[in-house]
């Protein structure tokens, strides 16, 4: 079932490696079929070097395995929370990419100081709050999803397609899984650039008008970037 | 038309990828035919992996497409401003290369502290000023060109073949598009070196005589570097 | 003798190069056969590019060469101390990988601030104390082993499979040599991430509950990561 | 003439690229034939991608071209000063490698804080003083050699096979050109490691006894590293 989506999910996971975002098994990408309300996700702890699309796992939105001989990614519950909260997204990616994870470890938002970020993320990339002992102990991966959604109370997940989870690492998403992978590579590059900038000038700023100009020239009805 | 120049422009865009200066579609290179007063530039938002010289777009100095089935780069108006202001240049390159963009985000000039920079750039690499809301809203890419030219009021674009645009990224140029690409790679390497240096010793300096010696041994009538 | 183990040891040494952990001859990996009480280790100062499994050296726990036409790694005595102290380990790796060595040079533990570290190392990665003149002069490599073991007085080498030796570099270990190599690559990546984080926020912290959650979801009887 | 040495010099220059030490034409390696008192060096400003051993230039110690249709490297006079001052060296390498050049730009010695450095360099890697206007204007490349030699007044070039020239970049040397290339790669890696360390702990130190131990286990009559 969902053969085409499984191939996309498998390819997306391999693309994370190709973009240099994943060491060993430290990442997972998933996609949702909104009609069937089923999610296809990478199996847990399986090596990328021999990953096949037939090994992708199909789960429903309650987290039950519908098809697949492997256990799904241990982060599946986090992915599912995002799909349930945000009907507009079609794919989710989680990695431990170096610079985005470094920001996650600091507990800071990645401040918007350049048009590279504004081309994709409409403002600072948010960092979630500390999780409580209770949240960690109870249903950790599901609660991780909940703290992400809580952090987006006043944010639009379409205009802000990613987050860094405190002390953990980045999650990104998009209308499709390909877009989620793309946003993951973009966030890593931005995280690197802005780390470097922050070391040269800790007080740098950017005009919010410039953010709006760049975001809007690529997104929305007045976009004029691309073909 | 301009088949030879289209091939050069296509190759130059691919060389940006080869030098590690471009992620996804984040760059554009152009060249001018001064006799015909026509500029050849990369199409907007097109993937580098399948770029063909026939897809390059020909525009006149007013920005009108003369030939080509794609829209030209969204930064075309910036390129055109530079060609109009500086008759001595033949090629322009814009990227979001990591370290040069990081400097652009800080709003600081890249200070000259080494002979590597002096071999190509006769002094600090300038950073432009903040753009006004009006400049951003009106004709943003054209105004970007204007703030670059304004920043060069007391600078010679031949002796200073590049700039970082505040909160945006580097532009470089040269007598030819090949030279513009070369200068783009040089600026990225310098931006990296000087970032590192700045973290070790925030008060470093260089004798202006050494800048002059190195610049002049490679450029001008008394040059003695190379064959 | 020990042909199979020699192949594993040779492959492990080559894997250090593949993971980018070794420049020139700056690393060594070994494995122990607990039944025969023999250790197989890389020869000293031999180039990786032409390394063959037949060149691996077999030594006993007293450090005497049992088989092999080459001298064993100059760090052999350090490896042997670890095997003698910790019966649970099967392989040891030493490198001068860039970021882990940078931490070793600072004399600081690598603080735990992320789940990437918690997935493998159950707390801060310890740094050893300064060695005395007497320890350096007498039997330097053996004493290096002793200061590592001293540092682990209140640490469990299974839960903390690595150390940075002050002013020197990282040692890692595991139940097998493959696991020791894996931990070496993990430590280098963590050392890089946490270096970056430390430059952005020097006061970052992580809830110890999160460390426990991540470590325990991958290790021990309640682990649920992987297949 | 000197066909064998020309091949070695050509190969050494190509090895600088292979080790990632050279961008474009920013490096040069030379070797001396002590019997004939002739030096073979890379031509000036020639691309590495098509370099042939027949293009290497032969000069005498007065800097006169003895054979070769190209001009020798613009830094030839610096190389010659070192060969004349130090009869024990057989090869010299100059690059603008990223991290070593970054240190050169700071004007600081690279402090010895690890055994990686002690394995090759018996102490801090020195940085030269500022050159005077007169030295820069007169015979710049020759004077660069002189300030290096001046800096080594109390240093042994065998035990300290490299220097960073202030605001310029690294020079290394060795008994052979292969050793000079090796030392150039080592210095770059050390420069990177110690840069990172310096950002984590600006007050780090290393026991001089440890320097001695590591240097002496690889060099001199009591060396026991390697075969």
């Amino acid at each position: 079932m969902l053969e085409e989506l499984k191939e996309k999910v498998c390819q997306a996971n391999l693309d994370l490696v190709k973009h240099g975002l994943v060491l060993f098994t430290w990442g997972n990408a998933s996609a949702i079929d909104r009609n069937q309300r089923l999610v296809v996700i990478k199996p847990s702890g399986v090596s990328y070097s021999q990953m096949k699309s037939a090994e992708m796992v199909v789960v429903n939105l309650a987290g039950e395995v519908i098809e697949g001989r492997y256990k799904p990614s241990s982060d599946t519950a986090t992915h599912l929370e995002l799909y349930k909260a945000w009907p507009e997204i079609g794919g989710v990616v989680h990695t431990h990419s170096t610079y985005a994870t470094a920001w996650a470890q600091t507990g800071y938002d990645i401040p918007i100081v350049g048009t590279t970020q504004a081309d994709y993320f409409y403002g600072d990339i948010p960092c979630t709050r500390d999780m409580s002992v209770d949240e960690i102990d109870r249903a950790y991966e599901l609660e991780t999803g909940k703290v992400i959604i809580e952090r987006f109370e006043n944010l639009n997940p379409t205009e802000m397609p990613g987050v860094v989870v405190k002390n953990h690492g980045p999650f990104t998403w998009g209308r499709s899984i390909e877009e989620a992978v793309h946003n993951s590579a973009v966030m890593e590059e931005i995280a690197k650039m802005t780390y470097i900038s922050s070391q040269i000038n800790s007080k740098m700023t950017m005009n919010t008008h410039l953010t709006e100009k760049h975001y809007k020239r690529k997104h929305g009805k007045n976009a004029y970037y691309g073909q």
Side-chain angles (χ1 to χ4, degrees), chain A residues 103-219:
Chain A
W103 278 96
Q105 294 188 152
T106 67
Y108 289 168
D109 298 351
I110 305 178
I112 186 157
V113 291
T115 63
T116 320
Q117 185 163 331
D119 282 337
Y120 294 89
F121 298 90
Y122 194 33
D124 301 343
I125 297 172
C127 184
T128 60
R129 64 163 169 79
D130 273 311
M131 293 174 75
S132 70
V133 170
D134 195 49
E135 288 167 334
I136 294 168
D137 283 353
R138 215 188 323 153
Y140 170 64
E141 292 82 4
L142 182 145
E143 297 294 337
T144 299
K146 287 196 187 303
V147 296
I148 293 173
I149 293 156
E150 177 191 316
R151 184 68 182 80
F152 273 68
E153 196 182 346
N154 297 306
L155 291 169
N156 176 340
T158 297
E159 295 182 343
M160 182 54 63
V163 71
V164 286
V165 174
K166 184 162 190 289
N167 299 120
H168 191 158
F171 282 79
T172 57
W173 45 83
R175 281 163 300 180
S176 64
I177 189 170
E178 293 84 357
E179 203 174 277
V181 169
H182 191 89
N183 289 336
S184 187
V186 171
M187 197 204 283
E188 177 64 7
E189 179 64 14
I190 288 167
K192 183 173 183 182
M193 282 176 177
T194 298
Y195 157 65
I196 297 164
S197 299
S198 73
Q199 302 301 296
I200 298 172
N201 179 1
S202 61
K203 298 188 196 313
M204 56 192 168
T205 56
M206 175 157 123
N207 188 330
T208 57
H209 239 78
L210 193 54
T211 301
E212 190 167 322
K213 175 69 190 180
H214 266 263
Y215 188 79
K216 296 287 170 64
R217 83 174 190 170
K218 285 193 85 165
H219 305 272

Side-chain angles (χ1 to χ4, degrees), chain A residues 3 5 14 22 44 46 49-50 69 85 91 116 144 147 172 182 221:
Chain A
E3 298 310 318
L5 202 58
L14 295 175
V22 164
S44 178
V46 163
S49 66
Q50 50 216 34
R69 66 179 186 281
T116 320
T144 299
V147 296
T172 57
H182 191 89
K221 66 179 196 302

